[in-house]
Structure formats: C-alpha cells, structure tokens
DNA sequence: CTAATTAAGGATATATTTGTCCTTAATTAT
DNA sequence: ATAATTAAGGACAAATATATCCTTAATTAG
C-alpha cells in the first residue's frame, strides 16, 4: 500500500519510540538492522524527518544518533504520513481520478467513502508511543528477515 | 493506493463494460481518451489482460478493438486485481513486513485486520457491469481531465 | 586539543515504473 | 486481391523510486 520509503519511515519511528529518548539515542546501524531496511537509504529518510519538520531529533558524534522527544512520541502515524506528504494514498480516489468527489464521483466512490474514515482513524487513533508499547509482547515485531551484512 | 498501471486497468475495464460487447468493440484511442490515460501505455496494459488470462477480448482490423464478454463483465474488480497480481496492496502488511501474521503481527496488525476484509469486500461485492451501470448517472465519471492531444 | 564517532549531505548507481514510437501481423471492407 | 484499419509487440526513452558510497561537519570522550 505504501512505498518502501514510507514503510521504512513508519517502522523506524515506531522503533525509535520504543528504544530512544533524549538521553538514549539510536544509531542508524542499529535502527536499520532492527527494522530490516537498507542503512544509507534509511538514513536519508530520517534526515528528511529530522531537518525540516523536526519530528525526529538527532545529534552527531560519539553516543549520538536519532531519538524522539516525548512530544514526538505522542503523534500518530497519520501525522507522520502528513509530514511525508503521503496521505493521498488513503485520501485519494481509489481509481486514481484527480477530480473524484461527492459532486463528481467515480463508480467506486460511494463504496470507498465509507472505508476511508476507518483507515484514517486506524492511523490516527493511537500514538506512536502506544504502538511501540505493544511491542512489550515479544511476538509483536517491527522487522523483516534480519540482514546479516555489516555494510554501510 | 494503486499504481498508475492498475488504475488505468480498472478504469479501462469499467469503461469497456459500459461501452463494449462482442459486436461493439472499442478502439484504444477512444478508450484512452475516455479514461484519460496515455494511449500506448494503456494498450500495453490491455494486452496483458487480453493475451494470457483472457479477461479482455480483442480483434484487429477495421471495426476491431477491445471488448468484454458477458462472462467477463460479471467479474469483480478484485478479480482484475488478482489477474494483475496486485492483491498484495490490500492483503499485505501495512508496515511492509513480509512475515506479518496472526502469529507474528506488526504493531498495526490488530487494527488493520479489521479493515482489510472491508476493502476486499468493497472490491469484490459488485461486478464490473454493476459499476459500469452506475454511470448511467451522468455525474459519475471514469476519466481524468480530458487529453486534447491526438498523439498515438 | 586530538582522535574517534556519528549524522548530514552530495554524487552517483541501479531498478522499476511510466510512457513513446515504430514495425509487424491480423482482420476486414471493398 | 488490395488497401485500410486496428491490435500486438519490440525497442527505446524518460521519470521516479530505491539504494550505495564517499566526503564533510558536528559532537564528544579522553
């Protein structure tokens, strides 16, 4: 449903909510291994969320890394999607019509309009922190098959 | 949500359900103009659905074109998605985990599993023909802003 | 202060998706 | 039969997404 970039971003943020804080930063190597994503590519994705809109914080240098503030941890995945400008995946027309609306609906509009709010609510009604805390149950995971390489 | 290719395919098939039959074929030019898609690219997409799995029929030559049989018109959009091998967009893990399941769920699994069947049902419980017939209401449309070029 | 560590950022590479153009083959109307 | 029409199909082009590598800048520990 989402692009790889978006998936990595969401997984990374949930992981950061679980493992990081202002005095417990997480390096890109650990993070990427944990969520099963390519390291440098993930770094770029995090940079976007660090630089402009400041959802993620980072510090360089020894014991540096990425972390989320308590405030950031209270945001929802939908908020992350909005920062990534990927809300359209949910809010857009399912047949890809630019002008699909209540006034000029596509043939699927009347059906999808009932599900759209459920999807948005799903992405909005829990905080990142709440999602992360569900991982106290060890069967709940956030990683793909673990990468064994130690490459950059 | 879906790729351009998939969107074009779904729109094309709904249009063909409305406008075509065994003795009323639709040419690629008319079709692509009607649904607002690039002509040659759309041709390729239709070829895939014509060649192997035979959802769409076609004939070359004068008065030729594409058409759907009555049988094909009774299929659902979900069936089209399965022919395109794009069901995973709905059925896959929302965070992109390959191994996400009831046994090893991602943090969103318990929420998304309630919505997934609604999405699948939305795509399955109407036939292509039923969707097409809704376009008797002239406000229901299947095209983007119309292309004015006459290019191939 | 120095060296080590870590993210930032630029450049580049690869893969995939999207789109175009041209030739060929099939079919039909005359 | 011939010419016109239309999809099929191959080759290529452009755009975008994904991924890697290297250098730089910032920070910190010692």
């Amino acid at each position: 449903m989402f692009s790889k970039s978006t998936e990595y971003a969401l997984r990374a943020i949930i992981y950061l909510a679980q493992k990081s804080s202002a005095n417990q930063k997480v390096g890109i190597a650990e993070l990427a291994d944990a969520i099963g994503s390519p390291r440098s590519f993930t770094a770029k994705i995090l940079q976007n969320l660090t630089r402009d809109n400041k959802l993620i914080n980072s510090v360089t240098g020894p014991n540096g890394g990425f972390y989320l503030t308590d405030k950031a941890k209270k945001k929802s995945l939908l908020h992350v999607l909005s920062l990534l400008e990927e809300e359209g995946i949910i809010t857009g027309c399912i047949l890809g019509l630019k002008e699909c609306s209540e006034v000029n609906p596509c043939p699927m509009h009347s059906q999808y309009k009932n599900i759209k709010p459920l999807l948005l609510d799903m992405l909005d009604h829990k905080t990142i922190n709440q999602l992360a805390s569900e991982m106290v149950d060890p069967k709940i995971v956030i990683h793909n098959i673990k990468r064994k390489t130690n490459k950059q």
Side-chain angles (χ1 to χ4, degrees), chain A:
Chain A
M1 176 169 284
F2 298 124
S3 67
K4 295 280 183 207
S5 299
T6 300
E7 289 172 357
Y8 299 158
L10 298 179
R11 301 218 298 270
I13 281 161
I14 294 172
Y15 184 81
L16 286 176
Q18 187 195 24
K19 296 281 191 181
S20 81
S21 64
N23 52 9
Q24 180 64 39
K25 286 130 202 159
V26 171
I28 189 64
E30 175 192 338
L31 202 183
D33 287 356
I35 69 172
S37 67
R39 197 168 296 182
S40 292
F41 188 49
T42 307
K44 294 259 182 268
I45 294 163
L46 295 194
Q47 277 167 35
N48 288 335
L49 289 166
T50 302
R51 197 178 341 103
D52 300 326
N53 31 51
K54 287 294 178 197
L55 179 75
I56 303 178
N57 291 86
S58 70
V59 298
T60 58
N63 298 315
F66 298 92
Y67 68 98
L68 294 184
T69 62
D70 289 344
K71 187 180 170 194
K73 290 180 187 177
K74 285 176 186 141
K75 303 291 186 178
S76 69
L77 290 192
L78 187 62
H79 181 253
V80 181
L81 281 184
S82 79
L83 294 178
L84 298 170
E85 299 181 75
E86 296 284 4
E87 281 174 304
I89 289 162
I90 306 292
T91 60
C93 169
I94 202 120
L95 296 180
L97 299 185
K98 296 191 186 84
E99 310 278 321
C100 181
S101 67
E102 214 50 41
V103 180
N104 263 137
C106 79
M108 291 296 294
H109 185 86
S110 67
Q111 299 183 73
Y112 185 51
K113 79 173 174 190
N114 298 315
I115 299 180
K116 198 182 286 187
L118 301 178
L119 283 167
L120 291 173
D121 181 65
M122 169 185 85
L123 292 163
D124 201 41
H125 95 285
K126 285 195 179 182
T127 66
I128 299 163
N129 223 1
Q130 286 172 325
L131 292 172
S133 72
E134 288 173 17
M135 290 196 289
V136 293
D137 181 343
K139 81 174 178 189
I140 297 186
V141 291
I142 196 68
H143 58 81
N144 271 314
I145 303 103
K146 237 163 201 161
R147 295 153 60 86
K148 272 143 192 158
T149 55
N150 240 32
K151 300 203 307 185
Q152 173 181 329

